[in-house]
């Protein structure tokens, strides 16, 4: 690979860990603002990244709450991981217009090609999709879906791959016949629970090794 994909590390909240992960040269860092998550950011960390984009993850939050947090945390990207409708997103975009150029990700839980049908009504409303594994929780299930199903995606919106990506997956992501980057629309990956020593705390050595292997 000449250029590696976007690397997003999600579920951050510890200031020292944030500094260490940022120093690895990642592209995006995610902060979860859903109270039911074990990685919920209940209070602002004493340090926030300055060298990568800040992503706020929300699940069916009110637009007022999203805007308050977006301003407090100076978010670059809003990730919607619930049942947010296109009309909700239209209203959110209107409110976000007073901030700098904030992008929007809409997440979808995927098991089979049929699940891509849900993306169609969002094509003209968001900047990116995120494809996660369908499971009991809205996210953070730590399990993969069958990546070969990505070949059935017929949309035009670029997406990130999420769902149980683990430290030993770098070769499969790069060299497998079904690896996601056979599609130019797959622009990055989202790393979370499989790189943790505890919820919200990332293993720096595992991340460093993975990113190095992904860049080959």
């Amino acid at each position: 690979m000449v250029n590696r994909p976007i690397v997003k590390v999600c579920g951050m909240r510890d200031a020292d860990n944030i500094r260490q992960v940022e120093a690895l040269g990642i592209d995006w860092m995610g902060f979860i603002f859903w109270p039911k998550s074990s990685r919920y950011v209940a209070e602002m960390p004493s340090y926030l990244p300055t060298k990568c984009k800040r992503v706020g993850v929300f699940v069916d939050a009110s637009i007022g709450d999203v805007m308050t947090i977006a301003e407090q945390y100076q978010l670059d990207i809003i990730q919607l991981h619930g049942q947010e409708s296109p009309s909700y997103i239209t209203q959110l975009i209107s409110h976000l217009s007073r901030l700098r150029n904030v992008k929007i990700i809409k997440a979808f839980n995927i098991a089979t090609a049929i699940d891509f049908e849900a993306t169609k009504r969002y094509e003209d409303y968001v900047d990116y999709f995120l494809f996660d594994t369908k499971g009991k929780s809205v996210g953070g299930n730590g399990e993969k879906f069958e990546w070969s199903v990505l070949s059935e995606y017929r949309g035009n919106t670029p997406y990130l791959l999420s769902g149980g990506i683990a430290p030993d997956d770098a070769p499969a992501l790069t060299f497998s016949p079904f690896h996601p980057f056979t599609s130019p629309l797959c622009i990055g990956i989202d790393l979370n629970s499989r790189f943790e020593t505890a919820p919200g705390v990332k293993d720096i050595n595992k991340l460093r090794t993975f990113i190095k292997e992904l860049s080959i």
Side-chain angles (χ1 to χ4, degrees):
M1 295 177 63
V2 177
N3 297 303
R4 66 165 171 79
I6 290 170
V7 174
K8 172 177 177 276
V9 177
C10 200
M12 302 297 296
R13 62 183 176 191
D14 176 79
D16 289 340
N17 203 224
I18 290 169
R19 289 180 187 275
Q20 292 174 317
V21 172
E22 179 186 31
L24 296 176
I26 67 165
D27 305 286
W28 298 357
M29 186 178 292
F31 301 89
I32 298 175
F33 299 105
W34 184 47
K36 293 183 180 180
S37 172
S38 60
R39 299 165 184 84
Y40 172 56
V41 181
E43 58 183 41
M44 184 180 289
S46 60
Y47 177 79
L48 290 171
T50 59
K51 298 177 182 178
C52 61
K53 294 186 182 299
R54 303 175 187 179
V55 184
V57 181
F58 300 88
V59 179
D60 298 318
S62 71
I63 289 177
D65 285 348
V66 174
M67 288 302 302
T68 296
I69 292 172
E71 294 187 62
Q72 288 177 339
Y73 283 75
Q74 297 183 20
L75 298 178
D76 300 288
I77 303 169
I78 304 295
Q79 180 176 317
L80 303 175
H81 226 297
Q83 301 300 314
E84 300 87 1
S85 66
S87 62
Y88 170 99
I89 294 171
T90 298
Q91 294 177 57
L92 179 59
I93 291 171
S94 177
H95 284 78
L96 288 170
S97 63
R98 72 172 185 261
L99 303 180
R100 64 198 189 288
N101 187 26
V102 179
K103 304 294 186 182
I104 297 179
I105 299 171
K106 181 69 182 78
F108 296 89
N109 294 330
I110 304 297
T112 69
I114 294 174
D115 295 312
F116 292 127
E117 290 293 316
T119 68
K120 292 181 179 179
R121 56 198 289 252
Y122 292 88
E123 278 282 351
D124 298 323
Y125 294 90
V126 302
D127 300 284
Y128 312 102
F129 292 148
L130 181 142
F131 295 147
D132 202 351
T133 305
K134 184 176 287 187
K136 294 180 180 179
S137 176
V138 296
N141 293 287
E143 299 294 333
K144 298 183 185 68
F145 62 91
E146 182 57 54
W147 292 342
S148 60
V149 77
L150 293 169
S151 64
E152 301 298 320
Y153 173 58
R154 298 290 182 261
N156 298 310
T157 301
Y159 64 87
L160 286 84
L161 175 65
S162 186
I165 297 172
D168 59 357
D169 281 328
L173 283 165
T174 309
F175 302 113
S176 164
F178 299 113
H179 76 82
F181 310 119
T182 55
S183 168
L185 290 175
C186 185
I187 60 168
I189 52 176
D190 184 25
L191 309 178
N192 196 344
S193 61
R194 293 296 188 93
F195 290 85
E196 290 184 330
T197 57
V201 181
K202 301 300 183 286
D203 186 312
I204 302 304
N205 289 330
K206 287 182 179 179
L207 279 172
R208 180 185 294 110
T209 299
F210 179 89
I211 292 169
K212 182 179 180 180
E213 292 178 352
L214 198 65
S215 301
I216 294 174

